[in-house]
């Protein structure tokens, strides 16, 4: 059983930066692919980025490519999402998720979820 806790959300002006962290406990972190998803009010949960269990492979939704970077530190059981050049349309609750062995862009493929952290980008 893996527990995930996100942190680092907040209010930022357009063009600003935030770094989200997701701390994992209760499992062997290096066995899990990790993903970041987001959900804006009235919208479906959306894939943002994912990283393989070893960190060698990363994937992004087109709308964040070149602005967001996902990374992980298996020694610290933590995955990060560095977000630069933020836009108002990035406003959402951001969730991290864990899936054993291989990742996926589909949120229903993930078994373990954090509680989410709010990111608000003002124009």
């Amino acid at each position: 059983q893996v527990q995930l806790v996100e942190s680092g959300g907040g209010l930022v002006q357009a063009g600003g930066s935030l770094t989200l962290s997701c701390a994992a406990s209760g499992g062997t972190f290096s066995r899990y692919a990790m993903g970041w998803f987001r959900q804006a009010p009235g919208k479906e949960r959306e894939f943002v980025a994912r990283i393989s269990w070893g960190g060698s492979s990363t994937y992004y939704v087109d709308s964040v490519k070149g602005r967001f970077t996902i990374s992980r530190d298996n020694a610290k059981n933590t995955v990060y999402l560095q977000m630069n050049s933020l836009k108002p349309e990035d406003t959402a609750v951001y969730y991290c998720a864990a899936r054993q062995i291989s990742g996926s862009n589909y949120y229903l493929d993930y078994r373990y979820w954090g509680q989410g952290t709010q990111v608000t980008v003002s124009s």
Side-chain angles (χ1 to χ4, degrees):
Q1 191 79 0
V2 176
Q3 291 82 46
L4 303 172
V5 179
E6 302 97 336
S7 61
L11 174 63
V12 64
Q13 288 188 333
S17 298
L18 283 174
T19 299
L20 305 183
S21 300
C22 173
S25 61
T28 304
F29 183 67
S30 59
R31 292 180 180 175
Y32 291 85
M34 300 298 296
W36 284 98
F37 292 78
R38 64 188 179 187
Q39 189 165 18
K43 293 189 176 181
E44 191 170 323
R45 195 162 294 191
E46 173 191 31
F47 166 75
V48 176
R50 63 181 172 95
I51 187 167
S52 59
W53 59 269
S56 61
S57 299
T58 57
Y59 307 86
Y60 300 90
V61 68
D62 284 347
S63 61
V64 309
K65 284 181 181 176
R67 301 189 297 122
F68 290 11
T69 302
I70 188 172
S71 61
R72 67 188 296 162
D73 185 339
N74 285 349
K76 295 183 178 179
N77 289 355
T78 302
V79 63
Y80 305 95
L81 186 67
Q82 172 69 43
M83 305 185 295
N84 298 326
S85 302
L86 282 160
K87 303 176 180 180
E89 52 262 43
D90 294 319
T91 295
V93 177
Y94 282 71
Y95 299 90
C96 70
R99 184 171 191 257
Q100 208 155 12
I101 305 300
S102 64
S104 168
N105 293 5
Y106 188 40
Y107 70 92
L108 289 179
D109 286 338
Y110 289 77
R111 180 174 182 182
Y112 303 105
W113 290 86
Q115 81 289 350
T117 186
Q118 176 70 47
V119 172
T120 302
V121 184
S122 63
S123 57

